[in-house]
Amino acid sequence: MNFSNKIMNWYSKNKRNLPWRKTINPFHILISELMLQQTRVSHVVKYYSNFIQKFPTIEKVAESSEKNILKEWKGLGYYFRAKNLYNFAKLIYKKKFFPDRYHKLIKFKGIGPYTAAAVSSICFSEIVPAIDCNVVRVFSRYFGIHYDISKSLDRTNLSIMIKKIMDVKYPGLFNQAIMDLGATLCTFKKYQCFSCPINDFCFSKNNNVVDQFPKKNKKK
DNA sequence: AAAGCGGGGAG
DNA sequence: CTCCCAGCTTT
């Protein structure tokens, strides 16, 4: 089995049961990804279902007020995300066409490289890696990348590497599989290499240096 | 390249 | 207490 087969096989058996995984409605997926920016999954779960129940469609959001959107966001933090979501809904409501490619999505305020890749791969099967801190951690350990790849330029290089090994038929599932691996087994601390599906060719596991990755530049 | 933006959880 | 988490925008 190649890298992708191992990941996809593991994911099909071990994926977490999360509410936004029951749909490929692009607006719902976008809401989940906006909520998940720098926010833990367990925290988002409480808000996501509540939000889409109150605002199930783009129309409902667009016809609401910013104040009411913010009310649903209360406690989640990073409140500009809610404002960006509201502005996005109003724009799309007028255009009546949901942006279905990475290069279209990333033009909207609040949608960066990660979120554009997540939505376009999950909802529209675009072959583009979604790189969040889980993905950075997994691949910096797997490849043994000896420098800080959290910066934008280096993420472009990482993206090219991932594109070569990702599942081309189910890029959205592949992206989520890597993130799940980073969230459940390849965690920051207390990682569980013994049950990892890709531990055979993992650089840091084979060299016993998992705790040294990912590399971080010292700040301040 | 670095600050600012939130709140919560783990150690 | 510090660091981190399904990041992005602005300076």
Side-chain angles (χ1 to χ4, degrees):
Chain A
M1 282 204 286
N2 62 25
F3 182 92
S4 177
N5 293 147
K6 291 178 203 161
I7 285 289
M8 300 296 275
N9 195 32
W10 172 82
Y11 183 67
S12 69
K13 292 179 195 149
N14 300 284
K15 68 177 173 183
R16 292 174 292 175
N17 184 18
L18 303 173
W20 47 89
R21 288 190 171 156
K22 296 187 214 139
T23 181
I24 55 165
N25 177 323
F27 190 56
H28 291 180
I29 296 296
L30 176 64
I31 292 170
S32 74
E33 295 299 345
L34 289 173
M35 287 183 169
L36 285 161
Q37 289 172 3
Q38 288 288 284
T39 311
R40 291 174 189 284
V41 166
S42 59
H43 198 196
V44 172
V45 168
K46 301 177 223 159
Y47 285 81
Y48 170 80
S49 302
N50 203 359
F51 192 98
I52 61 168
Q53 188 173 1
K54 259 189 179 147
F55 301 104
T57 62
I58 292 175
E59 294 78 52
K60 291 284 185 190
V61 174
E63 288 168 355
S64 182
S65 64
E66 188 180 282
K67 184 180 270 186
N68 281 334
I69 302 300
L70 280 168
K71 198 184 289 177
E72 287 307 303
W73 212 271
K74 187 168 176 56
L76 256 186
Y78 287 142
Y79 294 100
F80 56 84
R81 296 182 296 178
K83 297 180 181 183
N84 289 333
L85 172 61
Y86 179 55
N87 291 328
F88 176 90
K90 283 198 291 186
L91 280 171
I92 299 307
Y93 185 45
K94 260 192 272 181
K95 289 186 178 171
K96 307 225 178 264
F97 192 75
F98 197 97
D100 60 353
R101 292 280 122 190
Y102 175 90
H103 73 270
K104 295 178 190 169
L105 282 157
I106 203 169
K107 288 180 180 161
F108 292 86
K109 187 168 278 188
I111 300 181
Y114 165 75
T115 306
V119 172
S120 66
S121 66
I122 293 171
C123 304
F124 306 109
S125 295
E126 186 168 357
I127 302 169
V128 51
I131 303 177
D132 71 337
C133 63
N134 283 310
V135 178
V136 166
R137 188 170 56 252
V138 169
F139 282 110
S140 66
R141 283 174 176 169
Y142 186 79
F143 290 123
I145 302 172
H146 285 273
Y147 54 90
D148 189 343
I149 51 173
S150 62
K151 301 292 177 288
S152 61
L153 181 64
D154 296 316
R155 285 204 182 192
T156 305
N157 293 330
L158 178 60
S159 180
I160 293 169
M161 294 168 68
I162 298 174
K163 224 174 218 181
K164 292 177 183 167
I165 59 175
M166 73 188 294
D167 191 295
V168 294
K169 192 166 184 194
Y170 303 105
L173 293 181
F174 178 90
N175 283 333
Q176 294 183 86
I178 300 292
M179 287 191 277
D180 255 32
L181 187 68
T184 60
L185 296 183
C186 195
T187 50
F188 187 68
K189 287 172 182 164
K190 303 211 166 186
Y191 33 85
Q192 302 169 50
C193 299
F194 51 89
S195 46
C196 177
I198 51 170
N199 61 9
D200 48 357
F201 294 117
C202 177
F203 175 88
S204 59
K205 200 268 180 182
N206 289 335
N207 291 281
N208 231 340
V209 288
V210 178
D211 58 337
Q212 296 174 27
F213 295 91
K215 300 287 184 186
K216 295 271 185 189
N217 288 337
K218 297 193 174 164
K219 44 180 142 181
K220 195 137 166 259

